[in-house]
Amino acid sequence: MQDWSLTLDKLLDHAARWHGGREIVTRSVEGPVVRSTYADIHRRAKQVSHALLEAGVKPGDRVATMGWNSDRHLEAWYGAIGIGAVLHTLNPRLFPEQIVYIANHAGDEVLLADPACAPLLAEILPQCPTIRQVVFLSEAAPPTPFPALAYEAWIAGRPADTPWGGFDENAAAGLCYTSGTTGNPKGVLYGHRSNYLHAMMTLQPDALNLSARDTVLLIVPMYHANAWGVMYSAPMVGAKLVLPGQKLDGASLHELIEAEGVTYSAGVPTIWQMLLAHLKATKGKLTTLQRVTVGGSACPESIFRTLRDDYGVDVIHGWGMTETSPLATVSVPSPAIAGRSFEDQLPYKLKQGRLLCNLDLKLVDDAGRRLPHDGRTFGRLMIKGPTIASGYFRAEGGEVLDDEGFFDTGDVSTIDAEGYMQITDRAKDVIKSGGEWISSIDVENIAVAHPKAALCAVIGVVHPKWDERPVLLVQLKPGEQAGKQEFLDFLDGKIARWWMPDDVLFVDEIPLGATGKIDKKRLREGLTGYELPFDPNLRR
Amino acid sequence: MQDWSLTLDKLLDHAARWHGGREIVTRSVEGPVVRSTYADIHRRAKQVSHALLEAGVKPGDRVATMGWNSDRHLEAWYGAIGIGAVLHTLNPRLFPEQIVYIANHAGDEVLLADPACAPLLAEILPQCPTIRQVVFLSEAAPPTPFPALAYEAWIAGRPADTPWGGFDENAAAGLCYTSGTTGNPKGVLYGHRSNYLHAMMTLQPDALNLSARDTVLLIVPMYHANAWGVMYSAPMVGAKLVLPGQKLDGASLHELIEAEGVTYSAGVPTIWQMLLAHLKATKGKLTTLQRVTVGGSACPESIFRTLRDDYGVDVIHGWGMTETSPLATVSVPSPAIAGRSFEDQLPYKLKQGRLLCNLDLKLVDDAGRRLPHDGRTFGRLMIKGPTIASGYFRAEGGEVLDDEGFFDTGDVSTIDAEGYMQITDRAKDVIKSGGEWISSIDVENIAVAHPKAALCAVIGVVHPKWDERPVLLVQLKPGEQAGKQEFLDFLDGKIARWWMPDDVLFVDEIPLGATGKIDKKRLREGLTGYELPFDPNLRR
């Protein structure tokens, strides 16, 4: 068979040649919606390549971007990877000190940024000595205290025939840092081959089910988790691509969906909540949208129901992480489930889904022993495959694979007999009591249904006999008063007896992190010195 | 990213682990329909591997099969490729002397054959010295004049933990010979990697659109054109597989489709014609079948219409050849076509379709210059990609790629602005007149509509001025009589003037080849010595 390396430049070549007239629509940083095609993107990406080579960028060098989803961002992306440079997507929403750390750790050399990032760059660039050229992804560069170029002038008049590819398919293509809830952010280095295979895996009906006939609204930011691979899967099939820029509010998204005939989209639950609120308020309709993949965190049941019942949109759970390229499981119906009613399918749709081809999953206990796939036993979720990280950039974090080559996701989950995986907790939050595990999230979800509760958190506290025991922390609704027993009675019968918290603490405020999740690290710090009321005879 | 070679053994591992209970249903050589699962197939394939290793089979050795589509054939298939042997599918329908040539050329060492092949084997085995072991894919071996084993006894009691894989993904996995209309049959050697990529390419909605929910009836013989890759794509997604054995008549297929809930199938037009005849005669229904891919030869419009209108089944043209793994184009709707009525889509559905991702096509003239994709200009169809042959086994036929790395399909076709490719002729049958090409098939298809015509053929005859000119050969219906001018008048206005045949010859019989196609080689031989009525002033 023919030699044919799996390098990603071929995907845009293919799109330009076979789907050249298919549109890329962007809500531009300048404001208006602008229209482009795969042929245009290809031509201009080649011009970017020429400019990067002239700037001295060599294979393996890091070219950073900092911007929202746009046509120019896509051109910069392929312009960099086409010549073997590594496209590093910086997240402009991180704290400036995190961005400085990441840019220095990555050793970024050229930075292509949205003009809205100019004030942020003025703050961080003095601390980023490796960045030697800044290009603003716009017509004109904003006034800045540092030297910078404007993208359009930078690429204007350049030849569009810079050769692409010709390097090894295992060469690095992309770099994306995890947010790093503990320790410093760590970089995941994607290869041409891994991204290529990931794109092929996501096209199939049991994954994102993408075809040339789809119009894809990419809400997931291009700097987040490899943009769910859509930068590769859309050109691979010639799907129309709609890039919403910085405006992710319900009204702006709804306008784009209807105006462009969007059939498919992907995003976190919050996005759909905002869109639904807008639709309800404006009595809006979704006339073309067929299906959405929801990931990032568990999607509330109400979103599944409302999008289906009121708007005819199928919601499909997906799961993955930066380290898994990212898509790994999708909650499409198994053969046994497919014929059932929506109500009977819903418990499965609420799980994170079934494994894509080419991957393997296992659940293990603390000793690394495999646990059964019975839908009840939960263990550490380990994953293996060609699209899964084998380590972090510059070997941060050292060895991360077990002796069977599996990567530890840091999640705790169950897998049922139909193969549906469900995340039950983060491994660091699960409570290890007498050799068995208690899901903090399961107990929280039940406790927070108490009418007096505003927020609930469950954390493990050291226990002299059982290693750890759960403690429930409750933030009451304003003006409410309650006692411990009230909450224990509320939980009674709803959870296993040995899952019952050993104590209930009322706190003024349960701290939330940047993404709106409960900040358990700060909660634990707040409990330093706290000791459980120890009853040696108590065995729940 | 993790190391993870694309070896095909992983596909059955995955199916056994994640779709282990999904059924494989076979109409067995013994008669009854038998049921198995991916877990069963995996276990027994491992036993085959053990038996093959004991028989001295080493990586790269050829293990041949000769049989119909069955569970045992599938087990033998994976049993061989799992240990790095090359699975060579012999076609029992070839002439014995062809099979002898192929088996000797391949150097087959072990042969697993259906018991129905025993008489054929008795004839050919004395001339196949490399085959040192014969195993019949059955409970008991039939009586034979040569030593042979029975499959069930051969694998019984063997361990099911023989290690698989561990070799390079570019290692050979399969060997399939082309029928060879000219010269000796030539072998196409598939790699693990090429078959793996092909399977991933075929899953997507723009190809075969296969999911875990599909029940696939594989009518295409496993010995034909890499079985359209279904041996790999079905386990990759955990589709239920229905293997029809030797009974491909309408009644037998209909019974299987309805009993097993078949949703998808693939086969040549003749199969669907037989099925439709059966359905019409018995007033049968198709209650589960959703779509069929038709390839091998152009599918008549009546099959598209009848399967859709009377049975609700979508017919999708596919094109490929042994040398292209095989699937290369599929006639799924382009974005521009998708919204149209069936009648408006039909002209596109009748073409061979749009290119799969990862492949490239070009049309060239005799000098190798690229021709436009305007839907009218036709040229030699050249193809490139990781699933396309780079040459033949043992370098038969020498260099087959052009200087851009494209493989010459031997077909002549057009490509339209929407990317739909249509085969217009075989390159050896196209008539080259004054530097331009005339499609013999186009003229034949129009001429045969003449009410007096039974069969028509158009072949090129040497012409002193225009190089070649077309001559129409007509086999009249029994009892009919006609003159040349009658046929020329019939063609007038329906084809370009310069396509008009320079002569019309009436023959008693137009010879047909083994597959029912007109045998133009014999027609040309029959015209040896014939000279065109040369009119130097004639320029059509």
Side-chain angles (χ1 to χ4, degrees), chain A residues 14-27:
Chain A
H14 182 86
R17 184 160 163 73
W18 292 98
H19 311 284
R22 198 75 167 131
E23 282 186 318
I24 314 297
V25 178
T26 299
R27 193 184 291 280

Side-chain angles (χ1 to χ4, degrees), chain A residues 115-397:
Chain A
C117 300
L120 175 62
L121 294 183
E123 183 180 348
I124 65 167
L125 280 178
Q127 306 164 67
C128 299
T130 62
I131 298 177
R132 52 190 173 75
Q133 184 162 340
V134 175
V135 180
F136 281 107
L137 293 164
S138 51
E139 278 286 337
T144 51
F146 53 86
L149 303 169
Y151 181 83
E152 291 299 333
W154 187 56
I155 67 167
R158 292 186 183 273
D161 59 357
T162 302
W164 278 355
F167 38 79
D168 190 276
E169 69 184 35
N170 290 303
L175 181 60
C176 195
Y177 279 73
T178 59
S179 49
T181 48
T182 54
N184 281 316
K186 293 196 285 290
V188 177
L189 194 65
Y190 304 108
H192 279 263
R193 174 181 162 109
S194 71
N195 275 333
Y196 205 116
L197 293 174
H198 179 264
M200 291 179 77
M201 284 156 63
T202 63
L203 295 182
Q204 56 173 315
D206 284 336
L208 305 186
N209 193 25
L210 291 178
S211 83
R213 294 168 298 289
D214 274 312
T215 295
V216 177
L217 171 65
L218 185 69
I219 301 174
V220 179
M222 286 165 72
Y223 57 74
H224 179 74
N226 205 19
W228 289 25
V230 171
M231 297 298 98
Y232 307 117
S233 55
M236 189 174 249
V237 293
K240 176 175 167 180
L241 200 50
V242 181
L243 301 171
Q246 199 171 354
K247 288 188 166 177
L248 301 183
D249 59 284
S252 300
L253 290 181
H254 183 225
E255 184 191 304
L256 272 183
I257 291 170
E258 289 298 305
E260 301 302 331
V262 169
T263 59
Y264 171 76
S265 189
V268 294
T270 317
I271 290 287
W272 305 113
Q273 265 159 340
M274 292 195 304
L275 180 66
L276 285 174
H278 168 78
L279 292 174
K280 194 175 175 190
T282 59
K283 298 199 190 340
K285 300 271 173 246
L286 295 171
T287 59
T288 60
L289 190 64
Q290 296 164 2
R291 60 198 198 284
V292 296
T293 311
V294 181
S297 57
C299 184
E301 186 177 321
S302 63
I303 293 183
F304 282 88
R305 288 191 184 277
T306 310
L307 271 171
R308 175 182 180 271
D309 294 345
D310 298 350
Y311 303 98
V313 176
D314 191 22
V315 179
I316 303 155
H317 246 156
W319 173 83
M321 52 202 299
T322 304
E323 291 89 336
T324 63
S325 291
L327 205 67
T329 70
V330 182
S331 199
V332 288
S334 71
I337 310 301
R340 299 189 190 172
S341 71
F342 175 75
E343 289 301 326
D344 286 348
Q345 287 192 29
L346 194 57
Y348 294 93
K349 289 179 82 73
L350 289 169
K351 300 188 179 195
Q352 274 64 44
R354 306 179 89 212
L355 191 63
L356 296 194
C357 65
N358 302 354
L359 301 178
D360 203 7
L361 284 180
K362 65 176 180 179
L363 298 178
V364 297
D365 64 14
D366 273 335
R369 286 178 298 242
R370 284 180 187 254
L371 297 170
H373 294 186
D374 57 12
R376 293 186 313 276
T377 309
F378 53 92
R380 266 182 182 269
L381 183 67
M382 313 285 289
I383 188 163
K384 187 175 180 176
T387 56
I388 312 299
S390 57
Y392 293 98
F393 188 51
R394 301 198 197 277
E396 291 290 334

Side-chain angles (χ1 to χ4, degrees), chain B residues 420-441:
Chain B
Y420 286 84
M421 186 275 286
Q422 182 166 34
I423 303 285
T424 52
D425 217 335
R426 287 294 294 168
K428 61 183 167 22
D429 296 334
V430 80
I431 294 136
K432 293 165 185 178
S433 171
E436 306 224 47
W437 291 4
I438 298 169
S439 164
S440 65
I441 292 175

Side-chain angles (χ1 to χ4, degrees), chain A residues 17 169 193 206 212 361, chain B residues 17 169 193 206 212 360-361:
Chain A
R17 184 160 163 73
E169 69 184 35
R193 174 181 162 109
D206 284 336
L361 284 180
Chain B
R17 183 158 164 74
E169 69 184 37
R193 173 182 163 109
D206 284 335
D360 202 8
L361 284 180

Side-chain angles (χ1 to χ4, degrees), chain A residues 55-105:
Chain A
V57 171
K58 297 179 299 301
D61 286 353
R62 270 74 64 205
V63 171
T65 60
M66 183 188 280
W68 312 103
N69 297 2
S70 75
D71 48 356
R72 291 185 186 121
H73 197 166
L74 179 58
E75 291 158 12
W77 188 299
Y78 274 92
I81 66 175
I83 57 169
V86 178
L87 196 280
H88 173 210
T89 47
L90 280 165
N91 178 351
R93 291 210 163 134
L94 295 179
F95 295 114
E97 58 270 26
Q98 283 180 304
I99 300 176
V100 167
Y101 172 86
I102 290 172
N104 286 328
H105 189 270

